[in-house]
Amino acid sequence: MPVSQIREITAASRLDNVRYAIRDMAVLADQVAKQGHKVLCLNVGDPNIFDFKTPPHLIEAVYKAMRENKNGYAPSPGIPEALDAIRGEAARKGIRSLRDAFVTYGASEAVEICLTALLNPGDEILTPCPDYPLYSAVLAKLGVKYIPYYLNEYDGWQPDLVDLKPKVTSRTRALVLINPNNPTGSVCSRRMLEQIADFARRHNLVIFADEIYDKLMLDGDEHISIAAIAPDIPVVTFGGLSKNYLAPGWRLGWGMVSGDPAALKPYIEGVHRLLRARLSANHPEQYAVKPALEGPQDHLIETNRRLRAQRDLTVKACNAIPRTSCVAPRGAFYAFPRIDIAEGDDVFVKELLLQKHVLVVHGSGFGQKPGTKHFRIVFLPDEPTLTQAYAAIGDFMRERYP
Protein backbone atom coordinates (compact mmCIF):
# COMPACT_ATOMS: atom_id res chain seq x y z
CA MET A 1 0.00 0.00 0.00
CA PRO A 2 1.50 3.40 -0.94
CA VAL A 3 2.35 5.67 1.96
CA SER A 4 0.49 8.96 1.78
CA GLN A 5 1.91 12.09 3.28
CA ILE A 6 -0.53 14.27 5.16
CA ARG A 7 -0.28 17.81 3.88
CA GLU A 8 -1.84 20.81 5.59
CA ILE A 9 -4.81 22.21 3.68
CA THR A 10 -4.40 25.96 3.90
CA ALA A 11 -7.18 28.50 3.47
CA ALA A 12 -7.10 30.90 0.54
CA SER A 13 -4.94 33.97 1.17
CA ARG A 14 -7.83 36.26 0.23
CA LEU A 15 -9.41 35.32 3.56
CA ASP A 16 -6.59 36.98 5.52
CA ASN A 17 -8.55 40.22 5.77
CA VAL A 18 -11.93 38.62 6.51
CA ARG A 19 -12.92 39.43 10.08
CA TYR A 20 -16.25 39.60 11.86
CA ALA A 21 -15.56 41.12 15.24
CA ILE A 22 -19.17 40.86 16.40
CA ARG A 23 -19.26 37.07 16.42
CA ASP A 24 -15.56 36.56 17.01
CA MET A 25 -16.00 37.98 20.53
CA ALA A 26 -18.95 35.68 21.12
CA VAL A 27 -16.57 32.68 21.11
CA LEU A 28 -14.82 34.02 24.21
CA ALA A 29 -18.19 34.86 25.79
CA ASP A 30 -19.24 31.22 25.41
CA GLN A 31 -16.16 30.19 27.39
CA VAL A 32 -17.02 32.66 30.15
CA ALA A 33 -20.61 31.38 30.27
CA LYS A 34 -19.39 27.77 30.55
CA GLN A 35 -17.53 28.80 33.69
CA GLY A 36 -20.91 29.57 35.29
CA HIS A 37 -21.04 33.33 34.76
CA LYS A 38 -24.06 35.17 33.41
CA VAL A 39 -22.89 37.27 30.47
CA LEU A 40 -24.70 40.53 29.76
CA CYS A 41 -24.72 40.56 25.96
CA LEU A 42 -24.63 43.97 24.29
CA ASN A 43 -22.96 42.75 21.13
CA VAL A 44 -25.42 41.34 18.57
CA GLY A 45 -28.08 43.37 16.78
CA ASP A 46 -30.78 40.71 16.92
CA PRO A 47 -34.02 42.21 18.28
CA ASN A 48 -35.68 38.83 18.74
CA ILE A 49 -33.34 37.65 21.49
CA PHE A 50 -34.33 40.73 23.50
CA ASP A 51 -38.12 40.28 23.58
CA PHE A 52 -38.92 42.16 20.39
CA LYS A 53 -41.56 40.16 18.51
CA THR A 54 -42.06 39.68 14.79
CA PRO A 55 -45.46 41.23 13.86
CA PRO A 56 -48.11 38.46 13.88
CA HIS A 57 -49.53 39.31 10.46
CA LEU A 58 -46.13 38.57 8.91
CA ILE A 59 -45.97 35.19 10.63
CA GLU A 60 -49.48 34.36 9.45
CA ALA A 61 -48.59 35.24 5.87
CA VAL A 62 -45.57 32.94 5.89
CA TYR A 63 -47.48 30.14 7.62
CA LYS A 64 -50.26 30.42 5.03
CA ALA A 65 -47.71 30.23 2.22
CA MET A 66 -46.15 27.13 3.76
CA ARG A 67 -49.55 25.44 4.15
CA GLU A 68 -50.29 26.24 0.51
CA ASN A 69 -47.04 24.46 -0.39
CA LYS A 70 -45.11 27.55 -1.48
CA ASN A 71 -42.06 25.58 -0.43
CA GLY A 72 -40.30 25.01 -3.71
CA TYR A 73 -37.97 27.35 -5.57
CA ALA A 74 -39.16 30.90 -6.11
CA PRO A 75 -38.48 32.93 -9.26
CA SER A 76 -34.87 34.09 -9.08
CA PRO A 77 -35.67 37.83 -8.79
CA GLY A 78 -38.48 37.18 -6.29
CA ILE A 79 -42.20 36.49 -6.32
CA PRO A 80 -44.40 39.10 -8.09
CA GLU A 81 -46.26 40.06 -4.88
CA ALA A 82 -43.03 40.90 -3.08
CA LEU A 83 -41.56 42.80 -6.02
CA ASP A 84 -44.72 44.89 -6.42
CA ALA A 85 -44.60 45.76 -2.72
CA ILE A 86 -40.91 46.73 -2.91
CA ARG A 87 -41.63 48.98 -5.89
CA GLY A 88 -44.42 50.58 -3.88
CA GLU A 89 -42.01 51.10 -1.00
CA ALA A 90 -39.56 52.79 -3.35
CA ALA A 91 -42.31 55.19 -4.43
CA ARG A 92 -43.16 55.98 -0.80
CA LYS A 93 -39.48 56.71 -0.20
CA GLY A 94 -39.56 59.19 -3.08
CA ILE A 95 -37.41 57.10 -5.44
CA ARG A 96 -38.75 58.21 -8.82
CA SER A 97 -36.21 56.58 -11.12
CA LEU A 98 -36.51 52.94 -10.01
CA ARG A 99 -35.26 50.58 -12.72
CA ASP A 100 -35.18 47.22 -10.97
CA ALA A 101 -35.98 45.42 -7.72
CA PHE A 102 -35.08 41.94 -6.53
CA VAL A 103 -35.38 39.78 -3.42
CA THR A 104 -32.34 38.25 -1.74
CA TYR A 105 -31.31 35.94 1.07
CA GLY A 106 -31.05 38.79 3.55
CA ALA A 107 -29.76 42.25 2.71
CA SER A 108 -26.26 40.80 3.06
CA GLU A 109 -26.75 38.70 -0.09
CA ALA A 110 -27.98 41.78 -1.93
CA VAL A 111 -24.77 43.55 -0.90
CA GLU A 112 -22.58 40.69 -2.06
CA ILE A 113 -24.36 40.22 -5.39
CA CYS A 114 -24.39 43.92 -6.21
CA LEU A 115 -20.73 44.45 -5.34
CA THR A 116 -19.76 41.34 -7.30
CA ALA A 117 -21.71 42.48 -10.35
CA LEU A 118 -19.87 45.80 -10.47
CA LEU A 119 -16.31 45.40 -9.27
CA ASN A 120 -13.22 43.81 -10.78
CA PRO A 121 -9.91 43.05 -9.04
CA GLY A 122 -7.93 46.29 -8.94
CA ASP A 123 -11.02 48.49 -8.68
CA GLU A 124 -11.50 50.67 -5.62
CA ILE A 125 -14.57 51.52 -3.55
CA LEU A 126 -15.02 54.15 -0.86
CA THR A 127 -16.42 52.76 2.40
CA PRO A 128 -17.28 54.59 5.63
CA CYS A 129 -15.06 54.26 8.67
CA PRO A 130 -16.39 52.99 11.01
CA ASP A 131 -18.59 50.64 9.03
CA TYR A 132 -20.33 47.29 9.15
CA PRO A 133 -17.67 44.57 8.57
CA LEU A 134 -19.70 42.76 5.90
CA TYR A 135 -18.37 45.15 3.28
CA SER A 136 -14.68 44.59 3.95
CA ALA A 137 -15.27 40.82 4.06
CA VAL A 138 -17.00 40.77 0.67
CA LEU A 139 -14.42 43.07 -0.89
CA ALA A 140 -11.58 40.89 0.41
CA LYS A 141 -13.12 37.91 -1.39
CA LEU A 142 -13.44 39.93 -4.58
CA GLY A 143 -9.88 41.21 -4.47
CA VAL A 144 -11.13 44.79 -4.48
CA LYS A 145 -9.40 47.53 -2.53
CA TYR A 146 -11.63 49.43 -0.17
CA ILE A 147 -10.67 52.98 0.72
CA PRO A 148 -12.10 54.07 4.08
CA TYR A 149 -13.46 57.60 4.43
CA TYR A 150 -13.91 58.81 7.98
CA LEU A 151 -17.10 59.75 9.75
CA ASN A 152 -16.73 62.88 11.87
CA GLU A 153 -17.42 62.13 15.52
CA TYR A 154 -17.58 65.86 16.27
CA ASP A 155 -20.32 66.32 13.67
CA GLY A 156 -22.68 63.61 14.86
CA TRP A 157 -20.74 60.94 12.91
CA GLN A 158 -21.64 62.53 9.55
CA PRO A 159 -19.33 61.68 6.63
CA ASP A 160 -16.21 63.84 6.65
CA LEU A 161 -16.23 65.39 3.19
CA VAL A 162 -12.79 66.94 3.67
CA ASP A 163 -11.40 63.44 4.21
CA LEU A 164 -13.53 61.87 1.47
CA LYS A 165 -12.79 64.12 -1.49
CA PRO A 166 -9.06 63.47 -2.01
CA LYS A 167 -9.51 59.69 -1.77
CA VAL A 168 -11.18 59.22 -5.14
CA THR A 169 -8.91 57.99 -7.95
CA SER A 170 -9.28 56.85 -11.54
CA ARG A 171 -9.88 53.33 -10.18
CA THR A 172 -12.75 54.32 -7.86
CA ARG A 173 -16.03 52.80 -9.01
CA ALA A 174 -18.44 53.25 -6.12
CA LEU A 175 -19.19 54.64 -2.68
CA VAL A 176 -20.92 52.88 0.22
CA LEU A 177 -23.27 54.88 2.43
CA ILE A 178 -24.77 53.22 5.53
CA ASN A 179 -27.67 55.41 6.68
CA PRO A 180 -28.63 54.99 9.53
CA ASN A 181 -25.12 53.88 10.28
CA ASN A 182 -24.00 50.71 12.00
CA PRO A 183 -22.08 51.00 14.39
CA THR A 184 -22.59 54.70 15.27
CA GLY A 185 -26.36 55.12 14.90
CA SER A 186 -25.81 58.34 12.94
CA VAL A 187 -28.30 59.59 10.35
CA CYS A 188 -27.27 61.74 7.39
CA SER A 189 -28.84 65.16 7.00
CA ARG A 190 -30.44 66.18 3.71
CA ARG A 191 -27.61 68.65 3.11
CA MET A 192 -25.03 65.91 3.62
CA LEU A 193 -26.85 63.57 1.22
CA GLU A 194 -26.96 66.32 -1.39
CA GLN A 195 -23.22 66.88 -1.05
CA ILE A 196 -22.47 63.16 -1.34
CA ALA A 197 -24.71 62.96 -4.40
CA ASP A 198 -22.85 65.87 -6.00
CA PHE A 199 -19.55 64.13 -5.26
CA ALA A 200 -20.75 60.88 -6.83
CA ARG A 201 -22.12 62.75 -9.84
CA ARG A 202 -18.81 64.52 -10.50
CA HIS A 203 -16.80 61.31 -10.29
CA ASN A 204 -19.28 58.97 -12.02
CA LEU A 205 -19.65 56.73 -8.98
CA VAL A 206 -22.31 54.16 -8.13
CA ILE A 207 -23.75 54.65 -4.65
CA PHE A 208 -24.54 51.58 -2.55
CA ALA A 209 -27.06 52.87 -0.01
CA ASP A 210 -27.53 50.53 2.95
CA GLU A 211 -30.84 51.63 4.49
CA ILE A 212 -31.76 48.48 6.42
CA TYR A 213 -32.61 50.60 9.52
CA ASP A 214 -34.55 53.33 7.73
CA LYS A 215 -37.70 52.98 9.87
CA LEU A 216 -35.87 52.90 13.20
CA MET A 217 -35.61 56.68 13.58
CA LEU A 218 -35.28 57.53 17.25
CA ASP A 219 -36.19 61.22 17.27
CA GLY A 220 -39.21 61.10 14.99
CA ASP A 221 -37.31 62.46 12.00
CA GLU A 222 -38.16 61.41 8.47
CA HIS A 223 -35.55 59.19 6.89
CA ILE A 224 -34.31 60.57 3.58
CA SER A 225 -33.15 58.14 0.93
CA ILE A 226 -30.25 59.37 -1.19
CA ALA A 227 -31.87 57.77 -4.24
CA ALA A 228 -34.84 60.10 -3.74
CA ILE A 229 -32.76 63.26 -3.94
CA ALA A 230 -30.47 62.02 -6.72
CA PRO A 231 -32.70 60.35 -9.34
CA ASP A 232 -30.04 60.72 -12.06
CA ILE A 233 -27.28 58.89 -10.16
CA PRO A 234 -26.94 55.08 -10.20
CA VAL A 235 -27.96 54.04 -6.69
CA VAL A 236 -28.51 50.56 -5.29
CA THR A 237 -30.62 50.79 -2.13
CA PHE A 238 -30.63 47.84 0.27
CA GLY A 239 -33.50 46.99 2.61
CA GLY A 240 -35.13 44.00 4.27
CA LEU A 241 -37.31 42.54 6.97
CA SER A 242 -34.55 41.86 9.50
CA LYS A 243 -34.46 45.10 11.49
CA ASN A 244 -37.55 47.18 10.71
CA TYR A 245 -39.81 44.13 10.86
CA LEU A 246 -37.98 42.21 13.59
CA ALA A 247 -37.33 39.05 11.57
CA PRO A 248 -33.54 38.70 11.12
CA GLY A 249 -33.65 34.90 11.10
CA TRP A 250 -35.88 34.83 8.04
CA ARG A 251 -32.96 36.17 5.95
CA LEU A 252 -35.19 38.16 3.64
CA GLY A 253 -33.83 41.31 2.01
CA TRP A 254 -33.93 43.20 -1.24
CA GLY A 255 -32.17 45.60 -3.54
CA MET A 256 -33.59 48.51 -5.53
CA VAL A 257 -31.64 49.95 -8.47
CA SER A 258 -32.38 53.50 -9.57
CA GLY A 259 -30.86 56.01 -11.98
CA ASP A 260 -30.46 56.47 -15.73
CA PRO A 261 -31.89 53.38 -17.50
CA ALA A 262 -29.45 53.33 -20.42
CA ALA A 263 -26.43 53.52 -18.13
CA LEU A 264 -27.75 50.83 -15.80
CA LYS A 265 -28.89 48.24 -18.35
CA PRO A 266 -25.69 46.13 -18.51
CA TYR A 267 -25.20 46.29 -14.75
CA ILE A 268 -28.75 45.14 -14.03
CA GLU A 269 -28.29 42.26 -16.49
CA GLY A 270 -25.17 41.24 -14.55
CA VAL A 271 -27.04 41.33 -11.25
CA HIS A 272 -29.71 39.03 -12.68
CA ARG A 273 -27.15 36.56 -13.96
CA LEU A 274 -25.93 36.20 -10.38
CA LEU A 275 -29.50 35.97 -9.06
CA ARG A 276 -30.25 33.12 -11.43
CA ALA A 277 -27.01 31.33 -10.52
CA ARG A 278 -28.03 31.00 -6.89
CA LEU A 279 -31.64 29.94 -7.75
CA SER A 280 -33.75 31.98 -5.30
CA ALA A 281 -34.18 33.51 -1.89
CA ASN A 282 -36.37 31.83 0.76
CA HIS A 283 -39.73 31.24 -0.91
CA PRO A 284 -42.45 31.23 1.81
CA GLU A 285 -40.85 34.17 3.67
CA GLN A 286 -41.29 36.30 0.56
CA TYR A 287 -45.02 36.28 1.20
CA ALA A 288 -44.36 38.45 4.26
CA VAL A 289 -43.00 41.34 2.19
CA LYS A 290 -46.34 42.67 0.98
CA PRO A 291 -48.08 42.56 4.42
CA ALA A 292 -44.94 44.06 5.97
CA LEU A 293 -44.65 47.01 3.63
CA GLU A 294 -48.34 47.58 2.99
CA GLY A 295 -49.94 46.33 6.22
CA PRO A 296 -50.13 47.67 9.79
CA GLN A 297 -47.00 49.43 11.04
CA ASP A 298 -48.11 49.56 14.70
CA HIS A 299 -45.09 47.65 15.95
CA LEU A 300 -42.80 50.48 14.84
CA ILE A 301 -44.43 52.91 17.27
CA GLU A 302 -43.66 50.74 20.29
CA THR A 303 -40.28 49.63 18.94
CA ASN A 304 -39.07 53.19 18.41
CA ARG A 305 -40.49 54.32 21.75
CA ARG A 306 -38.59 51.60 23.56
CA LEU A 307 -35.41 52.16 21.59
CA ARG A 308 -35.58 55.90 22.25
CA ALA A 309 -35.79 55.35 26.01
CA GLN A 310 -32.95 52.82 25.92
CA ARG A 311 -30.87 55.16 23.75
CA ASP A 312 -31.35 57.99 26.24
CA LEU A 313 -30.35 55.73 29.12
CA THR A 314 -27.28 54.58 27.20
CA VAL A 315 -26.03 58.05 26.31
CA LYS A 316 -26.57 59.41 29.82
CA ALA A 317 -24.81 56.44 31.41
CA CYS A 318 -21.87 56.45 29.02
CA ASN A 319 -21.24 60.15 29.41
CA ALA A 320 -21.20 59.68 33.20
CA ILE A 321 -18.58 56.90 33.09
CA PRO A 322 -14.98 58.11 33.58
CA ARG A 323 -12.86 58.37 30.43
CA THR A 324 -15.95 57.72 28.26
CA SER A 325 -18.02 59.93 25.96
CA CYS A 326 -20.86 59.09 23.61
CA VAL A 327 -22.45 60.90 20.68
CA ALA A 328 -26.21 60.34 20.79
CA PRO A 329 -27.33 57.96 18.00
CA ARG A 330 -30.35 59.07 15.98
CA GLY A 331 -31.24 55.79 14.30
CA ALA A 332 -30.93 52.01 14.57
CA PHE A 333 -30.01 50.55 18.00
CA TYR A 334 -26.27 51.07 18.32
CA ALA A 335 -24.04 53.48 20.20
CA PHE A 336 -20.31 53.92 19.66
CA PRO A 337 -18.78 55.40 22.83
CA ARG A 338 -15.25 56.75 22.82
CA ILE A 339 -12.82 55.69 25.54
CA ASP A 340 -9.66 57.46 26.67
CA ILE A 341 -7.34 54.63 27.70
CA ALA A 342 -3.71 53.70 27.12
CA GLU A 343 -4.29 50.13 25.92
CA GLY A 344 -6.14 48.92 22.86
CA ASP A 345 -9.91 48.77 22.69
CA ASP A 346 -9.61 45.07 21.86
CA VAL A 347 -7.90 44.57 25.24
CA PHE A 348 -10.59 46.70 26.88
CA VAL A 349 -13.50 44.57 25.63
CA LYS A 350 -11.74 41.30 26.39
CA GLU A 351 -10.93 42.30 29.96
CA LEU A 352 -14.40 43.78 30.47
CA LEU A 353 -15.86 40.40 29.49
CA LEU A 354 -13.48 38.39 31.66
CA GLN A 355 -13.75 40.60 34.75
CA LYS A 356 -17.31 41.99 34.62
CA HIS A 357 -18.98 39.56 32.20
CA VAL A 358 -20.28 42.33 29.93
CA LEU A 359 -19.96 41.65 26.20
CA VAL A 360 -19.48 44.57 23.81
CA VAL A 361 -17.49 44.83 20.56
CA HIS A 362 -14.21 46.69 20.12
CA GLY A 363 -14.33 49.74 17.87
CA SER A 364 -11.30 48.60 15.90
CA GLY A 365 -13.46 45.73 14.64
CA PHE A 366 -15.44 48.31 12.66
CA GLY A 367 -12.60 50.67 11.83
CA GLN A 368 -11.95 54.01 13.47
CA LYS A 369 -9.82 57.09 13.03
CA PRO A 370 -6.19 56.49 14.08
CA GLY A 371 -5.51 57.59 17.62
CA THR A 372 -9.10 56.99 18.76
CA LYS A 373 -10.60 54.06 20.62
CA HIS A 374 -14.23 53.04 20.86
CA PHE A 375 -16.57 50.17 21.58
CA ARG A 376 -19.98 49.36 20.17
CA ILE A 377 -23.04 48.90 22.35
CA VAL A 378 -26.27 47.27 21.20
CA PHE A 379 -28.95 48.86 23.38
CA LEU A 380 -31.67 46.33 22.58
CA PRO A 381 -31.75 44.72 26.09
CA ASP A 382 -34.33 46.04 28.55
CA GLU A 383 -33.56 48.97 30.83
CA PRO A 384 -32.75 46.90 33.96
CA THR A 385 -30.21 44.86 31.98
CA LEU A 386 -28.67 47.97 30.46
CA THR A 387 -28.50 49.68 33.85
CA GLN A 388 -26.70 46.66 35.31
CA ALA A 389 -24.30 46.50 32.37
CA TYR A 390 -23.43 50.21 32.49
CA ALA A 391 -22.83 50.05 36.24
CA ALA A 392 -20.39 47.19 35.62
CA ILE A 393 -18.63 49.13 32.85
CA GLY A 394 -18.34 52.14 35.17
CA ASP A 395 -16.82 50.00 37.91
CA PHE A 396 -14.41 48.46 35.40
CA MET A 397 -13.25 51.85 34.15
CA ARG A 398 -12.67 53.16 37.67
CA GLU A 399 -10.80 50.04 38.74
CA ARG A 400 -8.64 49.51 35.64
CA TYR A 401 -8.05 53.09 34.55
CA PRO A 402 -7.98 55.21 37.75
Side-chain angles (χ1 to χ4, degrees):
M1 179 181 293
V3 177
S4 62
Q5 183 177 1
I6 297 176
R7 181 168 59 89
E8 183 179 48
I9 308 300
T10 58
S13 59
R14 65 177 174 270
L15 302 183
D16 291 347
N17 293 321
V18 175
R19 298 285 187 274
Y20 196 74
I22 301 165
R23 297 220 171 187
D24 289 348
M25 278 299 301
V27 175
L28 181 58
D30 289 341
Q31 297 173 11
V32 172
K34 288 176 181 177
Q35 295 170 2
H37 302 293
K38 179 182 178 181
V39 176
L40 301 178
C41 294
L42 280 62
N43 66 314
V44 176
D46 183 345
N48 298 75
I49 64 176
F50 298 109
D51 289 335
F52 289 86
K53 306 294 186 184
T54 307
H57 63 291
L58 274 62
I59 296 172
E60 288 301 318
V62 173
Y63 178 48
K64 180 174 182 290
M66 288 180 173
R67 284 191 286 106
E68 293 177 355
N69 201 30
K70 307 293 187 181
N71 300 312
Y73 293 123
S76 293
I79 63 171
E81 295 94 323
L83 295 175
D84 287 345
I86 293 167
R87 293 185 189 103
E89 179 73 358
R92 285 188 291 275
K93 289 165 70 72
I95 301 174
R96 303 183 301 280
S97 57
L98 185 70
R99 305 305 171 196
D100 192 44
F102 46 87
V103 180
T104 54
Y105 187 74
S108 57
E109 189 194 42
V111 169
E112 181 155 8
I113 284 175
C114 291
L115 293 178
T116 302
L118 179 72
L119 300 167
N120 293 307
D123 287 343
E124 296 178 357
I125 182 171
L126 297 161
T127 60
C129 180
D131 79 336
Y132 183 57
L134 167 69
Y135 291 91
S136 59
V138 171
L139 294 168
K141 290 192 291 182
L142 295 177
V144 172
K145 185 176 182 181
Y146 61 96
I147 308 297
Y149 66 88
Y150 293 120
L151 306 182
N152 187 349
E153 187 170 6
Y154 298 101
D155 186 28
W157 291 112
Q158 298 280 303
D160 186 341
L161 295 176
V162 173
D163 179 74
L164 171 66
K165 290 177 179 178
K167 291 183 172 178
V168 67
T169 73
S170 60
R171 296 184 297 276
T172 309
R173 299 289 311 280
L175 178 147
V176 173
L177 181 70
I178 306 174
N179 180 42
N181 179 263
N182 177 6
T184 67
S186 62
V187 176
C188 285
S189 66
R190 175 179 288 274
R191 177 59 181 151
M192 178 58 65
L193 294 174
E194 290 171 345
Q195 290 176 297
I196 291 173
D198 287 342
F199 175 78
R201 190 178 289 114
R202 286 197 306 272
H203 296 287
N204 195 30
L205 301 181
V206 176
I207 296 176
F208 292 110
D210 188 332
E211 299 181 359
I212 192 71
Y213 301 95
D214 64 344
K215 296 184 180 180
L216 302 182
M217 300 288 286
L218 305 184
D219 295 315
D221 302 323
E222 177 189 4
H223 179 269
I224 304 169
S225 175
I226 194 167
I229 64 173
D232 58 311
I233 295 175
V235 179
V236 184
T237 303
F238 303 120
L241 298 182
S242 293
K243 311 300 184 178
N244 293 335
Y245 294 95
L246 311 176
W250 287 4
R251 310 309 302 130
L252 207 292
W254 54 79
M256 302 182 290
V257 185
S258 57
D260 179 78
L264 285 167
K265 185 174 184 293
Y267 174 67
I268 291 173
E269 290 175 350
V271 168
H272 280 268
R273 283 199 295 273
L274 292 172
L275 291 170
R276 291 191 295 271
R278 59 64 155 132
L279 298 181
S280 73
N282 289 333
H283 191 178
E285 282 83 354
Q286 294 189 43
Y287 287 89
V289 175
K290 182 179 176 67
L293 297 179
E294 299 179 1
Q297 306 292 305
D298 300 355
H299 74 284
L300 286 169
I301 298 173
E302 174 57 22
T303 297
N304 283 322
R305 182 206 64 76
R306 178 174 163 183
L307 291 178
R308 187 180 309 115
Q310 291 167 192
R311 182 274 311 268
D312 293 345
L313 171 64
T314 298
V315 173
K316 181 179 179 180
C318 287
N319 284 324
I321 294 173
R323 298 179 176 269
T324 307
S325 62
C326 184
V327 175
R330 296 176 51 223
F333 35 68
Y334 308 105
F336 203 60
R338 182 169 180 163
I339 45 177
D340 179 16
I341 59 175
E343 56 192 358
D345 53 31
D346 56 338
V347 177
F348 167 84
V349 300
K350 179 179 179 181
E351 292 302 318
L352 176 64
L353 174 60
L354 293 175
Q355 296 181 35
K356 299 298 182 180
H357 315 136
V358 177
L359 178 58
V360 295
V361 186
H362 45 295
S364 50
F366 302 91
Q368 55 195 345
K369 197 168 186 178
T372 67
K373 297 164 187 175
H374 300 81
F375 64 100
R376 191 190 75 165
I377 290 172
V378 174
F379 52 83
L380 285 169
D382 59 27
E383 293 191 33
T385 301
L386 292 175
T387 299
Q388 182 182 355
Y390 300 148
I393 295 172
D395 290 342
F396 177 77
M397 293 295 289
R398 283 183 283 271
E399 294 165 9
R400 190 171 180 87
Y401 311 106

